[in-house]
Amino acid sequence: MGLGGNFLTQKLILERLDRSTFNPIIISPRDGAALEKYRDMSIPCEVLAPPKSLDKYGGAILRHNLFTKVNTCLDVLSYNYKLYKYLKKNKIDIVYTNCVRAQMSIGLGAILAGVPTTLYVKGELINPIIDRVCICTATKIMFFCQQNRDDRYQRLIKFFKHKVTILPIGMDLAKVRERRHQSEKAIQSEIGFDPAKVNTVVIAQLYRPKGQHLAIEAFGKIGDAYPNCHLYLLGDHVLEEYRSYKAELETLIEQRGLKGKVSFLGWREDSIDVVRLMDIVVHPSLAEGFGRAVLEAMALGKPVVASAVGGLREAILHSENGYLVQPGDVDGIERCWRKLIAEPELRSRLGVNARGTVEDRFQIDDKVFQIMELWSKLASKVS
């Protein structure tokens, strides 16, 4: 089962962190594949299990009754106190939280311990209560781009403008481009890839907000006019709550007469090599923090049709280095996709421009330098 964009962003930061100045410790509510990767990097990892009521995902807590919500709030306070004691005992200087869920879990405890927190908002802010609590409790808040910052809570963000900054996502271009251990022919054989076709991939967790069903709907309209095309869905459901979505997609594929034209690839460690084979990338997400998979595809020189969500609204210039469509716009996806299928020269031009955009604006090293500068300043204020 795969590890998502949050993990990859953290991993890139930790790989470049000056270990002579910073001694990172990962605190996680559960063990798993991500912690194993961090341990391989010689980073200490602590598992501090939360109350069972907090160990739910996909908005499950928000769908419960009032009594359960009140108990959950008490559990949040209890977990914050548990983390407060950990911060004091281990003399932690800075807390980095990679999402509002993490900030909610430790923000109050960090204030009690006198430890500054830096919240990196990498997803869409959608819960008015949780989001506001996190904005208020964080010492510094980093957004991927200005549009993400300005989407919600403009008055509150303006009030706290002294602690809000922009830190675009960064890519390790060398890792994106380097050849993996598997040969191109081996991957082609494994996934049933036909280079004579126009091949498209959607790279995302199998999760309804990622919009794979929209890509299938659009592909169903294209298939008759361009029978020499194939669609690959690269990703897994990750959480059990999302397992049923794959069955929904399989039903949709059959209903649209696309059996044999759409392939599920699951999660793959060689995903970059798979994308390298493709002609087109479609990213129909309904919500996004930024869209790391899109930046990776752009770095590989692939033309992208993406929803105008998150940081993609600033990374993609419509008709110059890719195409943007409104979230949920199946017809828009279809129109742009058709153009790319029909015009190889257009695919090439957009791909070259996409690669240039990533090289100019999204290098990882300067982003990590900015984070280290921020952490150093915060630590010096409380020491």
Side-chain angles (χ1 to χ4, degrees):
M1 204 168 284
L3 297 169
N6 265 351
F7 164 78
L8 294 173
T9 298
Q10 285 185 187
K11 184 172 181 288
L12 286 172
I13 293 170
L14 290 167
E15 285 174 340
R16 287 158 177 78
L17 203 61
D18 181 358
R19 300 288 283 272
S20 66
T21 303
F22 298 96
N23 179 32
I25 301 171
I26 301 293
I27 301 176
S28 174
R30 59 170 72 169
D31 213 330
L35 295 197
E36 289 304 312
K37 297 285 187 182
Y38 293 136
R39 291 179 184 120
D40 289 343
M41 297 166 61
S42 301
I43 296 174
C45 298
E46 296 274 1
V47 176
L48 298 179
K52 287 186 177 180
S53 66
L54 305 184
D55 197 22
K56 294 182 175 66
Y57 294 82
I61 293 173
L62 302 177
R63 294 190 290 270
H64 283 298
N65 58 38
L66 179 61
F67 177 76
T68 303
K69 289 178 181 177
V70 170
N71 279 340
T72 300
C73 289
L74 295 176
D75 285 340
V76 168
L77 294 175
S78 171
Y79 194 48
N80 267 267
Y81 184 70
K82 181 178 183 176
L83 293 176
Y84 153 76
K85 292 194 292 184
Y86 180 90
L87 296 177
K88 293 294 286 185
K89 179 181 177 181
N90 293 275
K91 299 180 179 179
I92 303 298
D93 299 301
I94 295 286
V95 172
Y96 166 83
T97 54
N98 70 342
C99 61
V100 292
R101 184 185 183 96
Q103 181 67 28
M104 191 74 179
S105 299
I106 201 170
L108 294 174
I111 290 174
L112 190 62
V115 177
T117 56
T118 55
L119 167 62
Y120 201 176
V121 180
K122 299 194 289 296
E124 186 183 28
L125 297 176
I126 57 175
N127 185 284
I129 297 175
I130 293 175
D131 297 341
R132 286 183 168 92
V133 169
C134 292
I135 290 169
C136 291
T137 58
T139 310
K140 283 289 183 181
I141 305 165
M142 299 173 285
F143 286 90
F144 273 153
C145 66
Q146 292 181 7
Q147 292 200 53
N148 281 10
R149 178 198 64 192
D150 298 338
D151 279 341
R152 303 286 301 274
Y153 318 120
Q154 293 183 13
R155 290 183 180 178
L156 187 63
I157 294 294
K158 187 175 182 180
F159 181 80
F160 285 118
K161 64 181 180 180
H162 62 282
K163 63 179 181 179
V164 175
T165 189
I166 304 298
L167 185 68
I169 194 172
M171 306 295 298
D172 184 341
L173 297 184
K175 284 192 175 181
V176 170
R177 292 172 181 163
E178 72 184 4
R179 298 301 301 177
R180 290 294 197 107
H181 62 280
Q182 256 186 314
S183 72
E184 191 172 275
K185 287 185 177 180
I187 299 174
Q188 289 179 355
S189 175
E190 185 178 342
I191 69 174
F193 182 88
D194 183 352
K197 293 183 177 181
V198 178
N199 294 285
T200 299
V201 66
V202 176
I203 319 146
Q205 178 183 354
L206 293 184
Y207 170 49
R208 190 171 185 81
K210 292 298 183 181
Q212 285 91 345
H213 59 288
L214 302 172
I216 292 169
E217 291 279 10
F219 193 51
K221 297 182 177 186
I222 292 170
D224 290 340
Y226 297 97
N228 196 36
C229 295
H230 198 90
L231 173 62
Y232 292 91
L233 303 179
L234 177 56
D236 209 334
H237 59 278
V238 181
L239 299 176
E240 283 302 309
E241 290 92 325
Y242 310 146
R243 181 182 288 275
S244 62
Y245 183 56
K246 182 178 180 180
E248 180 184 334
L249 296 178
E250 290 171 332
T251 299
L252 185 59
I253 289 166
E254 188 166 354
Q255 290 173 346
R256 297 298 179 267
L258 296 173
K259 287 193 72 173
K261 295 182 178 181
V262 182
S263 299
F264 289 89
L265 299 182
W267 181 82
R268 296 178 63 100
E269 288 192 351
D270 60 352
S271 61
I272 289 175
D273 281 332
V274 172
V275 176
R276 187 180 283 110
L277 295 173
M278 300 294 162
D279 299 293
I280 302 166
V281 173
V282 172
H283 192 76
S285 184
L286 296 170
E288 201 69 72
F290 202 105
R292 170 176 294 278
V294 171
L295 280 190
E296 289 181 349
M298 292 172 69
L300 291 169
K302 302 300 175 182
V304 178
V305 180
S307 299
V309 293
L312 298 178
R313 293 168 292 180
E314 294 186 8
I316 296 177
L317 303 176
H318 186 70
S319 297
E320 292 186 26
N321 63 359
Y323 287 116
L324 285 176
V325 300
Q326 289 305 305
D329 184 1
V330 173
D331 292 337
I333 295 171
E334 178 201 352
R335 284 193 302 271
C336 297
W337 200 345
R338 278 180 182 269
K339 288 181 184 179
L340 292 173
I341 291 171
E343 301 179 42
E345 297 83 2
L346 177 63
R347 297 201 298 267
S348 178
R349 176 172 63 82
L350 295 184
V352 168
N353 292 343
R355 182 186 295 116
T357 297
V358 178
E359 290 174 345
D360 291 342
R361 296 173 50 198
F362 298 103
Q363 300 271 9
I364 182 61
D365 295 299
D366 60 317
K367 310 301 185 288
V368 175
F369 179 77
Q370 291 177 53
I371 289 176
M372 289 193 296
E373 273 200 324
L374 173 62
W375 288 348
S376 294
K377 288 177 182 177
L378 290 175
S380 65
K381 288 181 181 179
V382 296
S383 60

